[in-house]
Amino acid sequence: MGITLASPSRLASLDGRVPTVATLCSHSSLQIFHGARSEGLPTLGICVGAPPRFYDAFPLARPDRFLSVPNVKELAGAVSRLRSEGAVLVPHGSFVEYVGAEAFAELDVPVFGNRAVLAWESDRRKERDWLESAGVPMPQLFEDRSEIRGPVIVKYYGAKGGKGFFLAKNREALEDFHATGPHVIQEYVLGTRYYIHFFYSPLVDRGYRVGHGSLELLGMDRRDEANIDELYKLGAQEELFRAGIRPTFVVTGNVPVILRESLLPKAFEVGARIVERSIELFGGMVGPFCVEGIMTEDLEFKVFEISTRIVAGTNLFISGSPYSDLIEPGLSTGRRIAREIKQAQAQGRLAEVLS
Ligand code: AMP
């Protein structure tokens, strides 16, 4: 048996019934509903106001029912309705962002995965403690500017889409920079970005074993980020600044990537360390998560961020990825989530995958 994440009272709304997969109509909801439907689970779309029309265009991903709320921030007011529907909330980036990590963690509705992870992910310092203590290489942090030897990135806390991040080619270029809020100064890592989609199951006792369960690699993407990209644009900074153009990292889409096969052991090692440390720190991270890092020319993978739930890059792989196809043809992250809920219920182990 693994670690219990949910109390019996939290899960009482699911007693003797098929769980309904519920999420906010945004981000990766098409994939989540499509995956649940493929596994035969009912689905509930949470929306603000009228149901979004775009679902009509995708009949295989349209939720069975909708729950309309006046404002996402008021989701707490819909808790009894969600419980009476037998809902299991599947968190995704926009869902947690709009509700707020703290408010989300307090909702008295079963949530897929360990909600304790939200506090670790939403605070950049806690996240760094977690990853560093797991032995995961990260970009160097500079408390003292005199230690800066190369390019750096200045990141504001809570900056949406990296808005206002500042890049400096060297220490001198930082001299004219005056921060307008709480921030960190980090080594700007030169290399290639990879966003690696993992899934940790505490139920599966075969495959790539980690803790009591198994670590699966379901896909990989790179984000298209407007209006900055890689080293060559760092070189053009001064001209861009003179032209009044400031770099941002607003995500506008995603492209599929794969890693050199010889680098896969490194990817798994990083994923495994993060899961193992999460088990020690807060009872474990269950379900999908994304390790976001940069592979340098020395083939060192430096992790700048982790997303502890389904990321939108997995939408590339609704009908499978070059990795998930080697587990089961056509397996998406959305379907994998529904499968985990179903299997946990069949084995009487819902408390290990829901919280
Ligand atoms: P974040 O808000 O940490 O997800 O960063 C947003 C974007 O900034 C990332 O997707 C990367 O493109 C870029 N980035 C963040 N940290 C670094 C770093 N240390 N070195 C190079 N690029 C970075």
Side-chain angles (χ1 to χ4, degrees), residues 34 50 84 246 330 335:
H34 174 256
S84 71
R246 299 281 180 275
R335 185 162 189 175

Side-chain angles (χ1 to χ4, degrees), residues 15 17 21 115 188 219:
D15 282 349
R17 64 192 298 182
V21 169
R115 63 177 79 205
Y188 183 75

Side-chain angles (χ1 to χ4, degrees), residues 124 155 186-189 193 195 225 249 294 305:
R124 280 199 196 261
K155 297 177 168 187
Q186 239 179 45
E187 162 195 9
Y188 183 75
V189 183
R193 289 172 297 124
Y195 298 73
E225 293 174 324
F249 294 78
I294 299 173
E305 178 84 282

